[in-house]
Amino acid sequence: MLTNDQIQYLFTFCEKHYVRYYDLQVELVDHLATAIEHKMQLDTKLDFEIALKQVYAGFGILGFSSIISQKQTALQKMHIKSFWREMHRYCMFPRIILTFFIYCIIYLPFTLNLQAQKILLSYNVLIALVAISVLISSLIKYKNPRKKLLILDSNHILPVTGALFQLILQFYLFQKFYDISHYLQLIIIAYTVGIITFLALYARFKKTYQEAKNKYPLAFSK
Amino acid sequence: MKKSILYKGCLEPAILKLLHENGRMYGYEITQKIKEITAGELKITEGALYPLLHKLEADGILESAIENANNRVRKYYSLTKAGKKEKTKVLAELERFTNTLQLLLHPNLT
């Protein structure tokens, strides 16, 4: 069995070979360690570093780099799939009731005798305030782990709250070219979809963070 | 033709079948098991194995669990519910493929 120092050496080896993410490091370190132990069992005179060189050669000319890039691609696909699954839930019972409720809440002020421009300006201020408070509370509650995790690298809170600011930006761009009074229904639907998008992204963000924390507690420990 | 090109498409069915039979396995264990079963004929490189395991995990075919093993942590893979269905489908496709290949290689026997 390899010593703790030798295991630590393997972690450093991975870092030196551009594997900076802890979730990828643990898997590769375990593979390297088990393979080295096996080789050293078969040849008791085999030096640790020579065994490591032989095992690393098994990863091919590209070494770890193709593993890193393909894992990033796989995780991105997974995040996108997970997001669409959440969005789909808001189109199915029972969450479709919530979607309809959000639509009604957004639509209601327009049935009163209020200026559409002022209603939409209030919505944008409210959305901006919600985005900022969600961002601040998330940065406090969902702290970055001590060790970088690839699964969290493409799952930051900034793009989640960014979706809300996008909504505001798209509205201001739209009203530059079009008279909003003629497109109120479209705008209300766009706001509903924007809010649902934010809820889906936020749900995915929290779920991924919790899964990462459960799987890699050492990455979060002080 | 290089042997590795012929075996490339069989990697996924082989891994799914092994995980179905063994419950859960870790990366190095999978490479050694395949080498043992095929008497060294098929050797999976780490550069081929890990990207495939990560892809299958991202697709929801496999799930993973981290456990302590000696003085380090180890990632074990196992089939999800969807993975068990995928395994049946993929092995049936491979069997159809080998039957078709038989027709091409030994037409007189059919």
Side-chain angles (χ1 to χ4, degrees), chain A residues 1-4 7 22 24 26-31 33-35 37-38 55 58-59 66-67 70-71 74-75 78 81 215-216 218, chain B residues 26-28 31-32 45-47 49-55 57-60 63-66 68-75 77:
Chain A
M1 201 174 90
L2 297 186
T3 64
N4 289 342
I7 296 295
Y22 180 72
L24 209 40
V26 294
E27 196 168 16
L28 294 173
V29 162
D30 180 51
H31 183 102
T34 314
E37 280 168 356
H38 190 212
V55 171
F59 282 83
S66 67
I67 294 174
Q70 288 185 56
K71 175 134 186 161
L75 280 175
M78 187 189 79
K81 252 186 174 169
K215 247 190 192 162
Y216 305 99
L218 288 176
Chain B
Y26 55 97
Y28 183 73
T31 62
Q32 295 305 106
T45 62
E46 290 80 352
L49 172 72
Y50 285 105
L52 182 58
L53 288 174
H54 297 154
K55 181 190 169 295
E57 189 181 8
D59 288 344
E63 58 193 357
S64 63
I66 307 286
N68 287 325
N70 302 324
N71 52 358
R72 54 192 182 263
V73 290
R74 176 166 288 162
K75 190 173 183 181
Y77 291 93

Side-chain angles (χ1 to χ4, degrees), chain A residues 83-134:
Chain A
F83 163 70
W84 282 114
R85 233 187 341 257
E86 278 298 320
M87 285 296 281
H88 186 247
R89 284 200 183 113
Y90 284 99
C91 301
M92 306 298 285
F93 188 81
R95 283 200 206 176
I96 196 163
I97 299 169
L98 177 64
T99 307
F100 184 66
F101 179 73
I102 292 169
Y103 172 84
C104 292
I105 293 289
I106 296 170
Y107 180 70
L108 191 62
F110 293 98
T111 61
L112 309 170
N113 210 9
L114 299 167
Q115 225 185 359
Q117 190 81 358
K118 285 191 174 154
I119 295 169
L120 291 168
L121 177 64
S122 316
Y123 282 166
N124 290 339
V125 169
L126 189 62
I127 285 169
L129 289 172
V130 165
I132 291 165
S133 62
V134 165

Side-chain angles (χ1 to χ4, degrees), chain A residues 117 120 124 169-180 187:
Chain A
Q117 190 81 358
L120 291 168
N124 290 339
L169 178 68
Q170 292 304 322
F171 168 74
Y172 280 111
L173 286 173
F174 184 84
Q175 69 159 7
K176 255 193 148 179
F177 300 102
Y178 301 98
D179 180 358
I180 56 169
I187 290 170

Side-chain angles (χ1 to χ4, degrees), chain A residues 8-19:
Chain A
Q8 199 46 55
Y9 184 91
L10 293 178
F11 273 102
T12 310
F13 180 85
C14 286
E15 281 269 357
K16 283 187 182 161
H17 288 81
Y18 308 107
V19 182

Side-chain angles (χ1 to χ4, degrees), chain B residues 33-46:
Chain B
K33 195 76 183 178
I34 288 180
K35 193 174 153 189
E36 182 195 314
I37 291 170
T38 61
E41 183 67 17
L42 179 57
K43 287 177 198 161
I44 303 180
T45 62
E46 290 80 352

Side-chain angles (χ1 to χ4, degrees), chain A residues 28-209:
Chain A
L28 294 173
V29 162
D30 180 51
H31 183 102
L32 293 170
T34 314
I36 291 168
E37 280 168 356
H38 190 212
K39 278 190 180 290
M40 287 169 85
Q41 254 174 10
L42 295 172
D43 180 357
T44 50
K45 290 187 186 139
L46 187 61
D47 178 61
F48 168 77
E49 289 196 31
I50 293 170
L52 171 58
K53 231 178 177 174
Q54 289 174 1
V55 171
Y56 184 62
F59 282 83
I61 306 164
L62 296 172
F64 296 143
S65 58
S66 67
I67 294 174
I68 299 164
S69 61
Q70 288 185 56
K71 175 134 186 161
Q72 278 169 329
T73 307
L75 280 175
Q76 269 161 19
K77 275 189 182 166
M78 187 189 79
H79 286 318
I80 290 168
K81 252 186 174 169
S82 171
F83 163 70
W84 282 114
R85 233 187 341 257
E86 278 298 320
M87 285 296 281
H88 186 247
R89 284 200 183 113
Y90 284 99
C91 301
M92 306 298 285
F93 188 81
R95 283 200 206 176
I96 196 163
I97 299 169
L98 177 64
T99 307
F100 184 66
F101 179 73
I102 292 169
Y103 172 84
C104 292
I105 293 289
I106 296 170
Y107 180 70
L108 191 62
F110 293 98
T111 61
L112 309 170
N113 210 9
L114 299 167
Q115 225 185 359
Q117 190 81 358
K118 285 191 174 154
I119 295 169
L120 291 168
L121 177 64
S122 316
Y123 282 166
N124 290 339
V125 169
L126 189 62
I127 285 169
L129 289 172
V130 165
I132 291 165
S133 62
V134 165
L135 178 63
I136 293 170
S137 65
S138 297
L139 288 172
I140 295 167
K141 190 176 176 188
Y142 301 103
K143 285 192 169 71
N144 279 336
R146 195 168 51 88
K147 300 183 186 190
K148 276 178 89 168
L149 294 174
L150 188 53
I151 194 166
L152 293 184
D153 210 43
S154 49
N155 188 57
H156 203 268
I157 187 66
L158 276 172
V160 176
T161 51
L164 287 177
F165 286 111
Q166 262 296 329
L167 187 60
I168 299 169
L169 178 68
Q170 292 304 322
F171 168 74
Y172 280 111
L173 286 173
F174 184 84
Q175 69 159 7
K176 255 193 148 179
F177 300 102
Y178 301 98
D179 180 358
I180 56 169
S181 57
H182 294 138
Y183 295 98
L184 265 180
Q185 272 302 331
L186 182 65
I187 290 170
I188 293 166
I189 290 168
Y191 271 79
T192 307
V193 171
I195 289 166
I196 299 302
T197 304
F198 163 73
L199 291 173
L201 284 170
Y202 192 55
R204 191 210 73 189
F205 164 78
K206 284 196 299 183
K207 189 179 170 203
T208 306
Y209 186 91

